[in-house]
């Protein structure tokens, strides 16, 4: 059984994006940084298992995810390359780290103690990445206080430092001074601690912005999925990986003065024709799309009107001839070759005042992903 609303995930586009990013960074053998491909949150809604396999085929050498549970899903799908876990592990069940050979981030004193104790109990040495907080003030050891914690970590018989990293808070705000400050703080902290391990710092926005922070590896997420973080531009030839399509299930006439949907928010001033699309907020389509967003039907942009409800939305197709049940509806993706015949996650995010990461990550579990 296949619902009308389906997400198509173009794995060839994903692989092409991976290679294009690698090319941009200086090629596989060109001395560019390594790529840690970020597949957290079910690969930004695209489906972690298939995405990870496709990236492995395309030559990825390391993946990153948010927590141990995500790492286990990746391993069970057959991924053999190293998998870095970003999250704080202080209160996690750590068994999965060892059973599935995941690489933890140590970013807090309590995580350090927990991972060290768990590795000691098993009598093993656990490789980890050290996270340094240079201004995000979320996870990581403070750049100006590394000396307090580091000796215990470096002297542990059961922990082995494999890399050091930081994360930028303002890489997508071009004029923000913190970006440069974080770079200086990170470099100074690594130097003064005498760390001689690979370093990484750049998410998608940062790697577009400044080649000085590519270091030994970069950590793109969004770019892999073919989305450039706003407001930045990029010359990397990227292709959107996800499209979301549905079908018209009913067409309804509205007489002047009649309204459609919960709250009767859209009132027809002239006779209108409304198409019902079986996709709603349970599928991750934001209620704010009402009156702001459009979909493509028969190659034309038509407005989303009335309340977006749990399982459906309504669009005004009065300007189109003879729309029928079964007609294709494109919510994300292309329906024709003209530039306006494409809707991407960045545009949808802009309509409702959010970020493209949220658009793809929120795509509901009810929506089947078709891989092509
Ligand atoms: C999510 C994440 C990334 C990837 O970010 P994008 O903006 O999607 O490229 C990189 N590093 C860390 C620590 C992250 O949490």
């Amino acid at each position: 059984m296949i619902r009308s609303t389906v997400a198509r995930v173009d794995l060839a586009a994903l692989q092409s994006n991976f290679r294009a990013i690698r090319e941009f960074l200086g090629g596989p053998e060109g001395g560019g940084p390594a790529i840690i491909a970020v597949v957290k949150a079910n690969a930004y809604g695209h489906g972690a298992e298939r995405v990870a396999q496709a990236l492995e085929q395309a030559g990825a050498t390391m993946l990153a995810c948010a927590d141990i549970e995500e790492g286990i899903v990746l391993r069970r799908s057959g991924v053999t390359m190293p998998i870095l876990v970003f999250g704080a592990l202080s209160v996690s069940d750590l068994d999965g780290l060892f059973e599935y050979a995941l690489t933890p981030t140590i970013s807090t004193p309590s995580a350090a103690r927990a991972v060290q104790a768990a590795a000691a109990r098993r009598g093993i040495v656990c490789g980890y990445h050290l996270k340094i907080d240079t201004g995000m003030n979320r996870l990581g050891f403070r750049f100006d206080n590394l000396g307090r914690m580091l000796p215990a970590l470096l002297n542990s018989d059961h922990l082995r430092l494999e890399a050091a990293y930081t994360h930028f808070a303002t890489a997508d705000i071009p004029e923000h001074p913190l970006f440069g400050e974080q770079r200086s703080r990170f470099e100074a902290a690594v130097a003064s601690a005498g760390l001689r391990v690979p370093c990484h710092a750049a998410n998608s926005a940062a790697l577009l912005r400044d080649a000085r922070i590519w270091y030994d590896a970069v950590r793109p997420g969004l770019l892999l999925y073919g989305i450039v973080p706003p407001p930045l531009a990029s010359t990397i030839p990227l292709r959107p990986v996800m499209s979301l399509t549905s079908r018209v299930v009913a067409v309804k006439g509205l007489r002047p003065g009649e309204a459609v949907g919960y709250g009767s928010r859209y009132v027809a001033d002239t006779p209108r024709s409304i198409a019902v699309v079986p996709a709603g907020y349970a599928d991750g389509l934001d209620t704010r799309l009402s009156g702001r967003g459009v979909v493509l039907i028969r190659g034309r942009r038509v407005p989303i009107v009335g309340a977006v409800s749990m399982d459906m939305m309504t669009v005004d197709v009065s300007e189109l001839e003879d729309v029928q049940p079964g007609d294709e509806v494109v919510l994300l993706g292309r329906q024709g070759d003209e530039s306006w015949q494409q809707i991407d996650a960045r545009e949808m995010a802009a309509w409702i005042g959010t970020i493209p990461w949220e658009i793809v990550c929120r795509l509901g579990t009810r929506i089947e992903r078709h891989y092509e």
Side-chain angles (χ1 to χ4, degrees):
M1 277 191 311
I2 297 174
R3 286 203 173 84
S4 312
T5 306
V6 292
R8 295 208 163 65
V9 179
D10 184 345
L11 295 174
L14 173 81
Q15 293 177 321
S16 151
N17 294 343
F18 176 83
R19 293 192 196 99
I21 296 166
R22 194 166 57 183
E23 203 65 35
F24 174 77
L25 295 168
E29 320 298 340
I35 297 176
I36 301 172
V38 180
V39 297
K40 63 190 178 193
N42 196 27
Y44 291 44
H46 294 67
E49 298 169 81
R50 296 295 296 270
V51 162
Q53 288 161 8
L55 288 170
E56 190 154 56
Q57 265 175 22
T61 52
M62 187 169 206
L63 299 180
C65 60
D67 57 28
I68 293 172
E69 291 71 18
E70 287 185 351
I72 293 173
V73 168
L74 293 168
R75 276 281 177 263
R76 287 188 175 151
S77 79
V79 166
T80 58
M81 69 183 121
I83 299 173
L84 174 64
V85 178
F86 284 147
L89 301 174
S90 47
V91 294
S92 305
D93 175 356
L94 295 176
D95 289 344
L97 270 186
F98 307 106
E99 282 163 29
Y100 292 88
L102 307 174
T103 305
T105 293
I106 292 187
S107 59
T108 66
S110 52
R113 284 190 290 272
V115 176
Q116 138 82 31
R121 271 198 306 278
R122 288 170 182 257
I124 57 163
V125 180
C126 178
Y128 70 97
H129 289 206
L130 174 74
K131 184 160 191 188
I132 302 174
D133 185 354
T134 54
M136 176 78 98
N137 290 316
R138 216 174 45 174
L139 292 177
F141 297 96
R142 280 189 68 102
F143 68 100
D144 53 2
N145 198 21
L146 258 191
R148 240 186 85 214
M149 195 64 204
L150 207 53
L153 278 171
L154 295 179
N155 293 330
S156 164
D157 291 336
H158 296 282
L159 296 175
R160 183 183 62 251
L161 178 64
E162 290 181 348
Y165 76 99
T166 194
H167 194 38
F168 291 106
T170 60
D172 54 0
I173 309 177
E175 66 284 1
H176 204 295
L178 182 60
F179 182 71
E181 275 173 44
Q182 285 195 263
R183 177 171 75 86
S184 320
R185 289 169 179 173
F186 181 60
E187 291 173 6
V190 168
S192 73
L195 302 179
R196 273 181 284 279
V197 289
C199 289
H200 52 91
N203 60 1
S204 296
L207 83 81
L208 289 178
R209 251 184 84 169
D210 190 345
R212 288 174 300 182
I213 44 80
W214 290 355
Y215 304 127
D216 302 288
V218 296
R219 304 190 305 265
L222 200 66
L223 287 177
L224 289 171
Y225 307 101
I227 308 167
V228 176
L232 305 181
S234 147
T235 53
I236 309 175
L238 299 173
R239 288 154 53 188
V241 175
M242 186 187 289
S243 57
L244 181 65
T245 61
S246 187
R247 296 202 172 274
V248 172
V249 290
V251 183
K252 183 68 59 75
L254 281 189
R255 299 196 177 112
E258 289 182 337
V260 65
Y262 287 114
S264 295
R265 285 166 50 178
Y266 175 74
V267 184
D269 48 356
T270 55
R272 309 306 291 174
S273 181
I274 300 293
V276 180
V277 180
Y281 61 78
D283 302 301
L285 294 158
D286 199 285
T287 55
R288 291 169 292 177
L289 286 168
S290 166
R292 298 195 178 89
V294 302
V295 302
L296 290 161
I297 298 179
R298 301 202 170 184
R300 298 268 298 273
R301 289 184 163 227
V302 294
I304 299 169
V305 297
V308 173
S309 46
M310 189 182 292
D311 312 308
M312 56 190 116
M313 60 169 69
T314 40
V315 299
D316 184 340
V317 293
S318 310
E319 307 307 319
L320 303 186
E321 297 281 308
D322 196 29
V323 169
Q324 297 289 336
D327 282 355
E328 185 193 58
V329 181
V330 171
L331 295 132
L332 281 177
R334 248 187 196 294
Q335 201 179 48
D337 295 329
E338 303 291 341
S339 61
W340 47 268
Q341 290 175 315
Q342 177 171 34
I343 298 168
D344 61 20
R346 183 162 154 160
E347 184 182 5
M348 186 182 277
W351 293 334
I352 60 172
T354 186
I355 52 176
W357 293 262
E358 187 184 342
I359 298 290
V360 284
C361 287
R362 278 180 58 193
L363 210 75
T365 48
R366 183 165 74 177
I367 294 183
E368 260 187 67
R369 273 72 169 164
H370 284 204
Y371 295 92
E372 33 195 62

